[in-house]
Amino acid sequence: MIKFSVGILLLLLAPFAGAEGIEALSVTTNPDGSQEYSVTLQVLALMTALSFIPAAVIMMTSFTRIIVVLAILRQAIGLQQSPSNQILLGMSLFLTFFIMAPIFSQINDRAVQPYLNEELTSIQALEQAKEPIKAFMLSQTRIKDLETFAKIAGYDKLDSPEDTPFVVIIPAFVTSELQTAFIIGFMFFIPFLIVDLVVASVLMAMGMMMLSPMIVALPFKIMLFVLVDGWGLVMGTLARSFGLGV
């Protein structure tokens, strides 16, 4: 996680790359021998970039697809608060680390470690860190979404998707992720919808109009989910949807 954060910082600090000669901390010695410390603009830029790391983790990784699918799944089962939002976020975050591990490793090998060893400048490390993330996002982005945002941004003549600027790839990637997440969520929703229809039909036939079908169907849906090893199926499907294990 620390190595990935350094890589994200390299991406977010691009606008401040020309300020790398500024000292991070200046020390002023007073006539009486005491010292005063002043924080410079570079530290301010660094702290500002740190605040964007959560947004980068959500919007530039597999996190969006995972959390949307899990939220739809919880709604399909009929459980409003279980698993809780904190558990869903934790599951999504750690599954994101699992899926993105090869990308993080590439960023660490190509950008973070050379930068820490002073083999690359910040600008060179930035360019090296962008490539794995860009390749990942392009592999998950639909051409239609990419073309839509490219036209909106005024990039009508692009020779290949690899030539698309980062500012276009990110919204196109997020749009494609939401589309894919809803498709996967729909596939998971169908079995539970069938259970609801069957239970409602049985209750109607028995004349039990006052009994809520949702309350009766809930234990059957939970039992069905457990019998088919639902969590393993969901996690495996999400991982394979990004090309893992294929």
Side-chain angles (χ1 to χ4, degrees):
M1 178 60 183
I2 296 176
K3 296 177 180 178
F4 175 60
S5 299
V6 175
I8 292 297
L9 279 176
L10 291 174
L11 294 175
L12 297 176
L13 284 175
F16 308 100
E20 60 182 353
I22 302 176
E23 294 181 355
L25 188 66
S26 61
V27 181
T28 303
T29 303
N30 298 322
D32 59 354
S34 61
Q35 292 181 329
E36 294 180 356
Y37 301 87
S38 61
V39 179
T40 62
L41 184 62
Q42 187 174 6
V43 175
L44 178 62
L46 177 63
M47 299 306 296
T48 302
L50 282 172
S51 66
F52 284 97
I53 288 181
V57 171
I58 293 174
M59 295 289 101
M60 299 169 62
T61 65
S62 59
F63 183 88
T64 301
R65 183 187 303 184
I66 296 170
I67 189 62
V68 171
V69 170
L70 292 181
I72 294 176
L73 175 65
R74 183 175 66 178
Q75 185 70 26
I77 296 176
L79 298 171
Q80 300 300 321
Q81 299 296 330
S82 182
S84 64
N85 292 332
Q86 292 85 348
I87 293 177
L88 290 185
L89 288 171
M91 292 169 59
S92 302
L93 189 61
F94 282 102
L95 188 57
T96 297
F97 292 156
F98 172 75
I99 293 172
M100 298 295 295
I103 311 300
F104 297 166
S105 179
Q106 292 181 40
I107 294 176
N108 180 60
D109 295 338
R110 297 171 56 176
V112 177
Q113 291 303 322
Y115 176 73
L116 295 178
N117 295 331
E118 299 183 354
E119 298 173 2
L120 297 176
T121 65
S122 59
I123 297 178
Q124 292 172 335
L126 168 66
E127 294 300 321
Q128 292 295 324
K130 285 170 57 177
E131 293 305 318
I133 289 289
K134 185 176 181 179
F136 168 78
M137 290 194 292
L138 284 175
S139 67
Q140 304 298 325
T141 304
R142 290 175 171 81
I143 298 297
K144 180 180 179 181
D145 295 327
L146 203 60
E147 292 176 346
T148 299
F149 284 96
K151 290 180 180 178
I152 294 173
Y155 296 97
D156 296 327
K157 297 181 180 179
L158 294 173
D159 296 332
S160 65
E162 288 73 17
D163 297 332
T164 308
F166 231 80
V167 69
V168 175
I169 294 177
I170 294 177
F173 169 74
V174 174
T175 303
S176 294
E177 285 295 280
L178 290 174
Q179 179 79 357
T180 304
F182 274 73
I183 292 174
I184 297 175
F186 171 78
M187 299 303 296
F188 286 143
F189 209 109
I190 293 299
F192 300 108
L193 180 61
I194 293 174
V195 173
D196 285 332
L197 291 175
V198 171
V199 170
S201 299
V202 171
L203 292 178
M204 184 75 67
M206 297 177 65
M208 298 181 178
M209 306 295 184
M210 304 302 295
L211 187 59
S212 172
M214 293 182 60
I215 297 177
V216 178
L218 181 59
F220 291 100
K221 290 190 288 187
I222 294 177
M223 181 180 64
L224 173 65
F225 191 68
V226 171
L227 289 178
V228 300
D229 189 21
W231 288 116
L233 180 63
V234 170
M235 298 302 178
T237 301
L238 287 171
R240 284 190 292 271
S241 69
F242 289 96
L244 296 184
V246 177

